[in-house]
């Protein structure tokens, strides 16, 4: 099955408003030149409104870095799906490793956030990934299976059409150590088989699985050549227009 490539930039807690709008305009130009693939940026919440306005009419996708599970209420510091939709945001990252490991989000919380997105017509990108300790202990596949099973609890096959998965080994995020293309492909194939077991083969074949973890201009082509790698979630290299442009134009 043909899956449309998807290159997403996670800007984390970087860039002031002016810097973010400028970078988004540059990425929108990249996106306009890459009509056969999806290109997304996930800026901080404070830049979302301005970026949606500045790139309106372009094919650049805009996502949030997290999302609340309720649509409104006494949840200090949270941002909900209706608030994001109101700005024109259509996507949200959930379960990023920094949310899990620095802010203590567990699989149950990630699952609630994923439902918050789906119920509010926001398309979630569910991040999963093992730590170095997990990998060295031989627990990579058990950890990933738990993250997927619990992260996708009560998600229907129909809803899976709107879910993207991102495999981001924690030991590769922001460290300069990329998983080899063989390591990444092995995990992506495992995740796709797991989705086939949880849903149906045709649903698993349609889900896009992104790789994240020190993706750079010099490793994107090899990663994208793997049959089960459908795109990339890019951190550091997404903060510079030139490097993200090269990544989005992978061959
Ligand atoms: C990320 O933040 O999702 C990420 C993969 O970061 P980096 O590309 O910097 O490793």
């Amino acid at each position: 099955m043909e899956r449309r490539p998807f290159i997403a930039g996670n800007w984390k807690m970087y860039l002031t408003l002016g810097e973010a709008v400028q970078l988004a305009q540059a990425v929108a130009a990249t996106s306009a030149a890459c009509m056969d693939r999806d290109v997304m940026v996930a800026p901080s919440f404070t830049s979302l409104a301005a970026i949606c306005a500045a790139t309106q009419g372009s094919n650049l996708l805009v996502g949030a870095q997290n999302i609340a599970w309720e649509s409104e209420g006494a949840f200090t510091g949270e941002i909900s799906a209706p608030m994001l939709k109101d700005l024109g945001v259509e996507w949200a990252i959930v379960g990023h490793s920094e949310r899990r490991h620095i802010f203590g989000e567990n699989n149950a919380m990630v699952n609630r956030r994923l439902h918050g997105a789906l119920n509010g017509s926001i398309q979630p990108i569910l991040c999963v990934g093992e730590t170095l300790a997990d990998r060295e202990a031989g627990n990579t596949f058990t950890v990933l299976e738990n993250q997927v099973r619990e992260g996708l609890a009560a998600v229907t096959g129909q809803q899976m059409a709107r879910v993207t998965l991102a495999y981001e080994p924690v030991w590769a995020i922001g460290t300069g150590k990329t998983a080899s293309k063989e390591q990444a492909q092995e995990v992506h194939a495992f995740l796709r088989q797991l989705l086939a077991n949880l849903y149906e083969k045709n649903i698993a074949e349609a889900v896009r699985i992104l790789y994240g973890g020190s993706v750079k201009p010099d490793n994107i082509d090899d990663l994208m050549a793997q049959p089960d790698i459908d795109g990339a979630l890019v951190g550091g290299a997404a903060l510079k227009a030139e490097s993200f442009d090269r990544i989005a134009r992978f061959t």
Side-chain angles (χ1 to χ4, degrees):
M1 149 148 340
E2 275 286 298
R3 291 179 294 271
R4 187 174 162 85
F6 188 2
I7 304 292
N10 171 17
W11 293 356
K12 311 195 187 200
M13 197 176 71
Y14 290 104
L15 306 179
T16 58
L17 182 60
E19 292 165 344
V21 170
Q22 201 178 3
L23 180 57
Q25 281 166 332
V27 180
T30 293
S31 178
C34 298
M35 298 302 283
D36 61 341
R37 53 200 69 179
D38 287 336
V39 178
M40 188 191 95
V41 293
S44 60
F45 287 119
T46 54
S47 299
L48 283 170
I51 286 178
C52 286
T55 62
Q56 201 176 17
S58 79
N59 63 341
L60 178 69
L61 307 175
V62 182
Q65 295 176 17
N66 209 350
I67 187 167
W69 51 75
E70 296 289 345
S71 56
E72 63 174 9
F75 298 100
T76 302
E78 293 286 321
I79 308 286
S80 71
M83 293 170 174
L84 294 171
K85 289 291 285 188
D86 188 38
L87 305 179
V89 174
E90 302 280 352
W91 295 79
I93 296 170
V94 295
H96 189 276
S97 84
E98 286 145 20
R99 298 304 316 173
R100 293 175 187 266
H101 295 286
I102 303 174
F103 298 100
E105 294 193 14
N106 58 27
N107 289 336
M109 291 165 81
V110 171
N111 176 251
R112 292 185 77 182
R113 291 189 187 280
L114 189 106
H115 283 286
L118 290 171
N119 293 338
S121 301
I122 295 277
Q123 301 193 64
I125 301 174
L126 170 62
C127 301
V128 296
E130 81 286 3
T131 63
L132 188 58
D134 295 330
R135 182 162 275 265
E136 287 178 345
N139 293 334
T140 297
F141 295 107
T142 315
V143 167
L144 291 170
E145 179 157 352
N146 285 339
Q147 289 177 342
V148 170
R149 280 183 185 275
E150 294 176 25
L152 292 178
V155 172
T156 65
Q158 204 178 3
Q159 286 175 318
M160 278 310 290
R162 294 192 288 126
V163 175
T164 299
L165 219 57
Y167 168 55
E168 299 208 299
V170 179
W171 48 271
I173 297 181
T175 59
K177 282 189 211 152
T178 322
S180 68
K181 57 185 193 302
E182 293 83 7
Q183 282 174 319
Q185 167 58 25
E186 181 187 31
V187 170
H188 282 231
F190 167 80
L191 293 173
R192 200 173 305 285
Q193 184 56 51
L194 178 57
L195 292 177
N197 299 345
L198 293 174
Y199 297 95
E200 287 165 22
K201 191 167 188 300
N202 64 323
I203 291 174
E205 286 296 318
V207 172
R208 290 186 292 186
I209 308 178
L210 316 184
Y211 169 78
S214 297
V215 172
K216 305 278 181 242
D218 62 4
N219 57 28
I220 185 68
D221 295 344
D222 278 350
L223 289 163
M224 290 305 296
Q226 303 307 304
D228 287 293
I229 300 183
D230 307 313
L233 183 52
V234 186
L239 292 168
K240 291 269 176 296
E242 313 77 64
S243 52
F244 192 66
D245 180 82
R246 172 62 185 87
I247 291 168
R249 291 177 196 258
F250 71 86
T251 51

